[in-house]
């Protein structure tokens, strides 16, 4: 037999006013929406944090490759090693677990250095190349065809190098979200900072080699907050910082002595070294598929609806204004900007456009394109397919 208290409790539940039931249902829906939003934001963050990880790239591309031999103008590729493709002023950079090679448009080796590590990533700036390994604490700086090994304090998450050879490594650190270490061109430690509260998404070193800009993301308050912090090497704490509500920071890049470009998922902007905003450019609700930053140009591949199926609009932004625009039928997988020209990579098509949005050349291929890199001459592209790599003429 139930007690009177139990009966009264049942009676209250059954006879609860419809208005209160509606409010409770709305609250449950709101909590569920917040939960889903946090899951989506966490997924986006994981993608951006691991965007250079060859394991992550291989998962989506379907296969890893190893450069073996040159035959009939093509590089044969085997699925026996991981790789990373990039470019610098010399040519296309092909990084593997034991070697980094610069190739000419004729696929001839310009230089080759031995390295050691798992999961290589390459960053280039001027005459300097930084190679780091996303599953180890190993890194190397390549300059004038010579390699200098660097042992980081922990597993490397990401890295960056500037035009003078100063570089930084973001590593895992027990008890912290991450650790940032800044090195001189001789690999001497200049600065360290431990991130206790926020995740580091990207970082860059200023032109005067005295400060760094750090892009962060924070989930602690139930919402996603993008952040920007500026550090001077003589101070332990940031001398400037700001929160970008509703804009997850994806990339920061110094383009001048007092110019810092920031790319977010809803807008891009420029700041000075004091953290003051010079301008902001909104995507006006369009989704960002991919982007590239080259000198003062920000190249945005934007879409509406399903990114895999929707047509894309390429917008080239300089000083907060749209310099050029190009409408692309179908999706765009990669954008690669070099000296004012921009390579657009689709599933089976390459398109070269100017910074004004004018089409220069296009090439249809009869095979799926996994990746493509524009050479410095802007006349050739290094194209990776499922079984081989080749050079495609664009001009």
């Amino acid at each position: 037999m139930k007690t009177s208290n139990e009966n009264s409790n049942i009676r209250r539940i059954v006879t609860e006013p419809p208005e209160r039931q509606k409010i409770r249902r709305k609250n449950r829906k709101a909590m569920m929406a917040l939960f889903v939003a946090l899951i989506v934001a966490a997924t986006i963050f994981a993608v951006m944090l691991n965007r250079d990880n060859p394991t992550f790239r291989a998962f989506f591309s379907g296969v890893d490759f190893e450069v073996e031999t040159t035959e009939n103008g093509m590089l044969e590729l085997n699925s026996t090693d991981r790789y990373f493709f990039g470019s610098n002023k010399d040519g296309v950079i092909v990084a593997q677990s034991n070697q980094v090679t610069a190739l000419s448009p004729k696929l001839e080796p310009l230089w080759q250095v031995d390295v050691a590590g798992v999961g290589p990533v390459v960053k280039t700036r001027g005459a300097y190349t930084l190679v780091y390994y996303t599953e180890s604490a190993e890194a190397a700086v390549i300059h004038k065809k010579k390699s200098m090994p660097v042992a980081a304090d922990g597993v490397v998450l990401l890295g960056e190098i500037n035009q003078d050879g100063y570089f930084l490594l973001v590593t895992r650190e027990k008890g912290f979200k991450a650790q940032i270490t800044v090195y001189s061109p001789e690999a001497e430690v200049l600065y360290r900072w431990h991130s206790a509260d926020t995740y580091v998404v990207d970082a860059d070193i200023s032109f005067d080699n005295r400060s760094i800009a750090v892009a962060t993301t924070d989930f602690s308050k139930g919402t996603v907050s993008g952040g920007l912090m500026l550090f001077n090497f003589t101070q332990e704490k940031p001398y400037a910082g700001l929160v970008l509500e509703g804009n997850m920071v994806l990339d920061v890049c110094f383009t001048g002595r007092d110019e810092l470009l920031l790319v977010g998922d809803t807008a891009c902007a420029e700041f000075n070294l004091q953290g003051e905003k010079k301008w902001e450019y909104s995507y006006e609700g369009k989704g960002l598929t991919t982007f590239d930053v080259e000198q003062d140009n920000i190249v945005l591949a934007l879409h509406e609806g399903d990114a895999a199926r929707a047509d894309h609009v390429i917008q080239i932004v300089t000083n907060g204004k749209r310099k050029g625009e190009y409408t692309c039928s179908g999706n765009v997988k990669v954008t690669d900007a070099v000296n004012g020209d921009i390579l657009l990579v689709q599933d089976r098509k390459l398109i070269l456009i100017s910074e004004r949005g004018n089409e220069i050349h296009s090439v249809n291929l009869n095979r799926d394109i996994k990746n493509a890199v524009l050479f410095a001459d802007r006349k050739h592209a290094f194209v990776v397919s499922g079984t081989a790599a080749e050079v495609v003429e664009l001009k």
Side-chain angles (χ1 to χ4, degrees):
M1 179 180 293
K2 295 183 182 295
T3 66
S4 60
N5 286 338
E6 290 175 321
N7 287 328
S8 65
N9 286 339
I10 293 173
R11 193 159 48 248
R12 280 196 296 271
I13 294 172
V14 172
T15 60
E16 183 179 42
E19 292 78 8
R20 294 194 61 185
Q21 294 181 26
K22 290 181 181 180
I23 293 173
R24 189 184 315 165
R25 285 195 295 268
K26 288 182 179 179
N27 289 339
R28 284 200 299 266
K29 290 180 179 179
M31 291 298 295
M32 181 59 69
L34 176 60
F35 176 76
V36 172
L38 289 175
I39 292 297
V40 172
T43 302
I44 294 173
F45 170 74
V47 170
M48 289 309 303
L49 185 62
N50 294 278
R51 62 189 182 276
D52 290 331
N53 192 317
T55 303
F56 184 84
R57 290 189 171 197
F59 177 79
F60 287 100
S61 64
V63 66
D64 297 320
F65 304 110
E66 178 184 27
V67 176
E68 283 192 341
T69 58
T70 302
E71 184 177 330
N72 298 327
M74 300 185 73
L75 251 60
E76 299 298 326
L77 307 171
N78 291 325
S79 57
T80 58
D81 197 4
R82 299 180 188 179
Y83 73 96
F84 190 95
F85 298 131
S87 65
N88 68 358
K89 66 180 185 63
D90 294 331
V92 165
I93 307 297
V94 179
Q96 300 169 249
S97 60
N98 62 348
Q99 202 169 72
V100 178
T101 306
L103 297 173
S104 73
K106 295 182 179 180
L107 295 182
E108 298 171 342
L110 299 172
W111 52 259
Q112 195 171 71
V113 298
D114 294 331
V115 294
V118 178
V121 177
V122 174
K123 295 294 181 70
T124 63
R125 194 78 67 86
Y128 290 89
T129 298
L130 171 67
V131 184
Y132 60 88
Y133 305 93
T134 57
E135 296 182 18
S136 69
E138 303 301 320
V141 174
I142 301 171
H143 181 56
K144 295 182 178 179
K145 305 179 183 180
K146 295 182 180 179
S147 175
M148 176 180 60
V150 180
D153 291 337
V155 174
V156 181
L157 299 174
L158 57 93
E160 194 57 75
I161 193 165
N162 74 0
Q163 70 286 342
D164 295 327
Y166 289 77
F167 64 99
L168 62 83
L169 296 173
V170 180
T171 57
R172 293 176 184 168
E173 178 74 5
K174 187 176 181 180
F176 297 90
K177 296 292 191 289
Q179 173 184 274
I180 299 178
T181 305
V182 182
Y183 301 84
S184 71
E186 295 73 34
E188 298 176 350
V189 175
L190 300 178
Y191 186 72
R192 275 198 179 97
W193 177 70
H194 296 83
S195 179
D197 302 319
T198 57
Y199 295 95
V200 176
V201 178
D202 196 27
D204 199 16
I205 306 172
S206 64
F207 274 44
D208 62 7
N209 309 315
R210 296 177 181 177
S211 59
I212 57 173
V214 180
T216 64
T217 299
D218 179 48
F219 302 97
S220 62
K221 297 180 180 179
T223 58
V224 182
S225 298
L228 174 65
M229 294 187 289
L230 295 169
F231 295 82
N232 189 287
F233 296 164
T234 61
Q235 301 171 340
E236 294 183 4
K237 297 182 179 181
Y239 68 84
L242 59 147
V243 175
L244 295 94
E245 296 290 348
N247 192 15
M248 184 180 293
V249 185
L250 308 176
D251 185 89
V252 291
C253 179
F254 284 100
T255 59
R257 292 194 173 275
D258 197 35
E259 298 172 349
L260 174 66
L261 292 181
L262 177 150
V263 179
D265 66 336
T266 62
C268 56
E270 182 178 280
F271 296 83
N272 62 22
L273 278 178
Q274 286 69 48
E276 299 168 338
K277 186 186 297 183
K278 293 184 175 182
W279 55 259
E280 182 175 76
Y281 182 87
S282 171
Y283 309 154
E284 299 178 339
K286 294 183 176 66
L288 178 65
T289 299
T290 186
F291 64 92
D292 196 14
V293 179
E294 196 262 333
Q295 296 178 356
D296 291 330
N297 288 336
I298 300 178
V299 180
L300 306 168
L302 304 172
H303 69 275
E304 294 184 8
D306 185 354
R309 300 179 181 179
D311 292 345
H312 279 62
V313 175
I314 310 303
Q315 295 182 354
I316 301 93
V317 179
T318 302
N319 296 323
K321 297 181 180 180
R322 190 180 308 172
K323 179 187 289 187
E325 181 174 289
Y326 179 84
T327 300
C328 212
S329 177
N331 72 323
V332 175
K333 301 162 64 173
V334 177
T335 59
D336 189 17
V338 176
N339 294 330
D341 286 351
I342 302 155
L343 179 68
L344 309 179
V345 182
Q346 298 188 287
D347 292 334
R348 290 195 165 196
K349 186 177 183 179
L350 300 175
I351 305 172
L352 185 68
I353 65 173
S354 71
E355 61 185 359
R356 296 290 180 180
N358 300 316
E359 182 174 320
I360 299 172
H361 191 68
S362 64
V363 180
N364 290 295
L365 302 179
N366 60 0
R367 52 196 167 276
D368 292 337
I369 303 172
K370 298 295 183 181
N371 200 351
V373 179
L374 185 61
F375 279 90
D377 66 5
R378 298 170 291 158
K379 297 179 180 180
H380 302 87
F382 181 88
V383 182
V384 180
S385 63
T387 59
E390 64 179 316
V391 173
V392 175
E393 191 170 346
L394 300 174
K395 292 182 180 180

